[in-house]
Amino acid sequence: MIPCSLLRVIDSGSSETGADERRQDEEIQMNGLAMADKYYTEYGSRAKELKAEGKKVIGSKIYWPDVDATVDPVQGIAERYLRKLKLPTTYVGSGNTYKENLEARFGHLRQYIDTFNVNGVILFIYKYCDPYGFEVPAIKSFIESTGVPVLYLEDEYSMSSLARMKTRVEAFLEMIA
Amino acid sequence: MAEEKKPRQLATEAAAKIPRMARANIVATLKAKEEGKKVANAFIVDGHDEIMRAMDIVPAWGESYSGICAAKRDAEKYLQKAEAENFSRSLCTYATCSLGFDMWREELGGQIPPDSPWGGMARPDMILGSAQQLCDPRFKWPQATQHYLQDVPVFIGSMYYPTWDPNIDHKDQERFYVKYAVEELRSAVRFLEKHSGKKMDWDRLASIVDLTDRTWNLFVETYELRKAHPCPMDTGDAMNTMVPISFMLGTQEAYDFYLALNTELKEKIEAHKGVVENEKYRLLWGAGLPSWFALADFQYFNGRGAVFPVETTYRCCEPVYRLDLPEVSDPLEHIAWRWVRYWTHWYDKARQRPGSMPEVERLVEYIEDYKCDGVVFHSAFSCRTWHAGIILQTEILKKVYRDIPILVMEGDIVDISSYNEADTHNRIDAFIETLEAARVRKMRG
């Protein structure tokens, strides 16, 4: 298994993951947890066959926020972990209304969709993962509100479902191609 | 349609009163609406009970309602509703059952869905979330609920406690955790004041905190009467008699309930009345929430001469005089110290036994004090937080203590599709044979 965030670095062939890295071709955004490398290879190759996908924007939310320079460095690190990283396990969000709260929790996804000209989002959730699992309806409707279609997949850490997953990804890619 | 189920035979008169009390808690949410009181979705064992009671906020316990739906074998319709909205079947079924019910009620414009067990629960005015004090779902469940009740404000607080590390003296850390917990509780009070329009009565809170302390003491003192031979009350009843300590904490009714139970158990002990006629095996319910739809399994154990005099489940308290709590004037600080020390008070004991851990020390303590011959765990597939550690506990228990017979049952708390009665009973039968073999070995010396 390799984290999605690292896959993006590998995929881009660069250690730079800056938000200004604008892509002009069609893109798929993959959200969720660490994925099996086998999945990534399969999705990627099939996507190229369909000419519907160029690059992936995956997991990079972990690496984009920097630690602010604070008088007490530990304070800066804590702020980054608890307020800047929008992880479902730790980030509560803010805002006076539900809409504002959603923006605080998922607003970065809208930014990625715009920045990378994303045409579709695959929301990949591992079975038994409560923190991500409970967010599915909210995150799915948030992304769909941007006009971008979402494919929600749930699977286990296993290769046995690969063919089934491939079929669903292919259908999704054909739908948005 | 709900599946028919045989009523459970109860060993204590106290446990027989519980359905009425649990139902009254559900009905109270509906009555609150008529009386103009505020209702808050709430979670047990999170330090908010006394705050809510002091502010006359009526708690709506999703965990309780899901358990009731499961016990009535009528949860499937709500689980399916949640699943249709893309909540995985693998998620906590307390949460998904409750979410399914909430969604349905919203679809009906706030009306209770037809044929809801015990008349259903009222729409909350606010949601008092419980962060990761016990589990991830209680952190995410309020957020997920708000997706369907978007006008309902959510507060998610948290109260942590020092992580167990045999090489670190937790006493140096406790005060930081207490400080953090007090701030979180203060934020909860501010949240409730804002959304209820009512100010906290701090004297009333102090009085309720004192009542809770006394209830904690009485609860454990009463449960310790179950050390008697024959055992006057077992875990099958305790899964009912947990209602006042879990869902009615900070009320006089909860205290009075345990006072009556205390008297009843003393009478049973005096009369040598046990749960089973010929008590052969004494068992510890080591960990795990029960399958609410299969509480009759406790009677199956009883029918084979086995009784559970003690359990860890829903015993989330300890007499406060055993916790060495510092004297503080702020009731919120007292709640915080009580919370932290409840978790850490097994740490010193665990440190004295190389390779042990607090959860295992607690098991050893109960095995010794209640003279148990074996330990039974229940692993619920939809509850990772607690149940994921069960295998580790069994291995460490055998390693640092002794090779005691252990049964790990598998199922779920709410989702009956996970349950196979014949298979469960076969496993219990095999375990009873293991207990008998161990008993014979012990008799032969």
Side-chain angles (χ1 to χ4, degrees), chain B residues 160-387:
Chain B
Y160 302 97
Y161 50 90
T163 309
W164 159 249
D165 184 332
N167 302 310
I168 294 176
D169 186 355
H170 62 275
K171 291 190 180 63
D172 292 339
Q173 302 175 343
E174 282 180 335
R175 61 196 169 93
F176 295 110
Y177 283 86
V178 168
K179 192 176 173 188
Y180 183 89
V182 171
E183 286 310 308
E184 288 289 275
L185 291 171
R186 227 178 283 291
S187 298
V189 172
R190 282 196 295 271
F191 171 86
L192 293 176
E193 284 181 337
K194 179 180 172 186
H195 295 288
S196 70
K198 192 171 180 176
K199 284 285 173 195
M200 169 61 86
D201 179 340
W202 293 98
D203 289 336
R204 190 177 176 206
L205 176 63
S207 157
I208 290 174
V209 168
D210 177 63
L211 177 61
T212 297
D213 281 1
R214 289 187 283 119
T215 308
W216 272 36
N217 296 346
L218 177 61
F219 174 84
V220 178
E221 286 161 6
T222 301
Y223 272 36
E224 287 182 345
L225 294 171
R226 294 161 61 197
K227 289 177 184 174
H229 295 248
C231 174
M233 171 184 145
D234 87 338
T235 298
D237 270 19
M239 294 302 180
N240 285 279
T241 56
M242 63 81 177
V243 165
I245 198 84
S246 303
F247 303 112
M248 300 163 72
L249 199 60
T251 68
Q252 188 63 42
E253 199 180 353
Y255 182 87
D256 292 344
F257 175 86
Y258 294 112
L259 206 56
L261 179 62
N262 190 289
T263 304
E264 186 186 349
L265 293 188
K266 281 175 178 164
E267 286 169 0
K268 279 180 178 288
I269 292 165
E270 184 71 26
H272 295 282
K273 279 188 182 171
V275 175
V276 296
E277 226 166 83
N278 179 22
E279 185 177 297
K280 287 175 79 177
Y281 318 106
R282 292 169 69 88
L283 303 174
L284 160 62
W285 182 266
L289 297 162
S291 293
W292 290 107
F293 42 80
L295 288 179
D297 283 346
F298 286 105
Q299 284 176 268
Y300 191 83
F301 276 102
N302 297 161
R304 274 137 192 83
V307 65
F308 290 86
V310 61
E311 63 287 319
T312 59
T313 308
Y314 295 116
R315 189 161 166 165
C316 296
C317 57
E318 195 67 21
V320 291
Y321 47 78
R322 292 180 193 162
L323 301 180
D324 191 24
L325 301 178
E327 286 289 331
V328 293
S329 56
D330 179 357
L332 296 183
E333 193 178 346
H334 182 83
I335 294 171
W337 272 110
R338 198 177 60 197
W339 166 261
V340 169
R341 282 277 163 86
Y342 165 72
W343 291 104
T344 61
H345 86 281
W346 278 287
Y347 284 18
D348 284 334
K349 220 172 175 182
R351 209 170 277 120
Q352 287 163 15
R353 194 192 306 264
S356 189
M357 56 196 269
E359 292 84 350
V360 171
E361 277 314 306
R362 185 183 188 188
L363 298 179
V364 172
E365 183 181 307
Y366 290 171
I367 291 167
E368 296 277 318
D369 289 354
Y370 292 79
K371 309 287 180 223
C372 292
D373 306 298
V375 188
V376 176
F377 296 87
H378 177 237
S379 180
F381 82 87
S382 80
C383 177
R384 263 72 61 195
T385 307
W386 192 359
H387 304 89

Side-chain angles (χ1 to χ4, degrees), chain A residues 115-130:
Chain A
T115 305
F116 291 87
N117 295 326
V118 166
N119 304 103
V121 175
I122 296 175
L123 183 56
F124 186 92
I125 304 294
Y126 277 118
K127 204 172 177 182
Y128 303 113
C129 177
D130 290 301

Side-chain angles (χ1 to χ4, degrees), chain A residues 88-89 98 128 130 135 154, chain B residues 88 90 132 139-140 147 384:
Chain A
T89 44
Y98 180 63
Y128 303 113
D130 290 301
E135 290 201 332
E154 184 197 41
Chain B
S88 168
S90 70
Q132 290 157 314
F139 182 73
K140 305 308 294 181
H147 187 62
R384 263 72 61 195

